Amino acid sequence: MALLEVNDLHVRLQTQRGPADAVRGVSFALERGQTLGLIGESGCGKSITVMSLMGLLPESAQVSGSIRFDGEELVGKKDSELCRIRGDRIGMIFQEPMTALNPVHSIGRQVAEPLRVHRGLSGVAARSEALRPLDRLMTLTERWKIAMTAIHLRHQSHVGTTYKRALP
C-alpha cells in the first residue's frame, strides 16, 4: 500500500466570477521514501493540489475524490483531525520563500511549534531541540565565511606578489 494515494481529485473554488475547477481528476501514488514533484504552468493547480492534501483550502472549497495517507482517508476530515498529522507526518514546502516564515516571530519559535504540538515537548525543550540544527547551520556558515576569507586573502597575496614581480 502506498504512503499517499490520490485518486480522481477534484477541487472547485468559489471566485468573484463564479465557481472555478482548480483541480480536475488528478491521481497519483507515492511510496515511502519516494519524492514527488508537481510541475506545470502557472495556475494549473499544483499548489491547490498540495493544499488539498494538507487540508489548507478555504472553507468554501469543494473537494471530491480520495486522498489516503497511510491508509487513512483525508477528504472530509475536520481541521482538528488534520492537525494531528499536519506538520508531524505530512508537510508542505511553500513556493514563496518570503512567506515561509512569519517575520513577527523568531525562527526558533516557528521551528519549535510543531515539536510542542506534535511531540508534547515543553516550550523550553522544544526551543532547545529546534535550535540544535540552527546552531549547526551557524557553525557551518561561520566555517564557510572563514574559508572564503582565507581564499580571498590568499588570492590577494598572489596578485600582490605577481604585481611586485612585474615592477623593475
Side-chain angles (χ1 to χ4, degrees):
M1 170 176 63
L3 178 63
L4 177 66
E5 295 176 276
V6 176
N7 291 304
D8 198 28
L9 180 65
H10 291 261
V11 178
R12 177 172 281 179
L13 301 175
Q14 300 303 320
T15 71
Q16 292 178 345
R17 295 185 292 182
D21 292 325
V23 176
R24 295 177 294 277
V26 170
S27 297
F28 60 86
L30 188 64
E31 301 292 335
R32 289 184 195 280
Q34 285 186 322
T35 302
L36 174 71
L38 299 177
I39 58 172
E41 296 178 8
S42 179
C44 74
K46 301 177 300 289
S47 294
I48 298 296
T49 297
V50 177
M51 289 174 74
S52 66
L53 303 176
M54 302 286 297
L56 296 175
L57 295 172
E59 285 187 29
S60 61
Q62 298 171 342
V63 179
S64 64
S66 176
I67 301 169
R68 296 186 71 77
F69 179 71
D70 209 9
E72 184 177 359
E73 181 60 50
L74 301 183
V75 173
K77 281 206 177 288
K78 295 178 184 174
D79 191 56
S80 60
E81 295 172 305
L82 290 170
C83 279
R84 285 187 303 107
I85 61 168
R86 190 185 313 135
D88 182 33
R89 302 212 41 233
I90 189 170
M92 174 179 179
I93 300 172
F94 292 93
Q95 303 182 54
E96 182 53 53
M98 296 305 288
T99 61
L101 295 171
N102 185 338
V104 174
H105 303 290
S106 71
I107 293 172
R109 179 178 176 184
Q110 293 175 73
V111 173
E113 181 181 2
L115 297 172
R116 284 192 334 273
V117 172
H118 298 292
R119 300 279 158 55
L121 298 180
S122 70
V124 172
R127 185 169 175 77
S128 175
E129 187 71 22
L131 292 178
R132 188 174 306 141
L134 295 176
D135 287 341
R136 175 139 170 72
L137 177 64
M138 293 306 295
T139 301
L140 293 173
T141 302
E142 289 303 315
R143 287 182 185 164
W144 181 80
K145 285 180 185 176
I146 291 168
M148 294 315 301
T149 301
I151 289 169
H152 178 72
L153 291 174
R154 190 172 356 164
H155 174 70
Q156 281 184 331
S157 70
H158 287 311
V159 170
T161 303
T162 303
Y163 178 72
K164 288 175 190 169
R165 287 184 186 149
L167 292 176

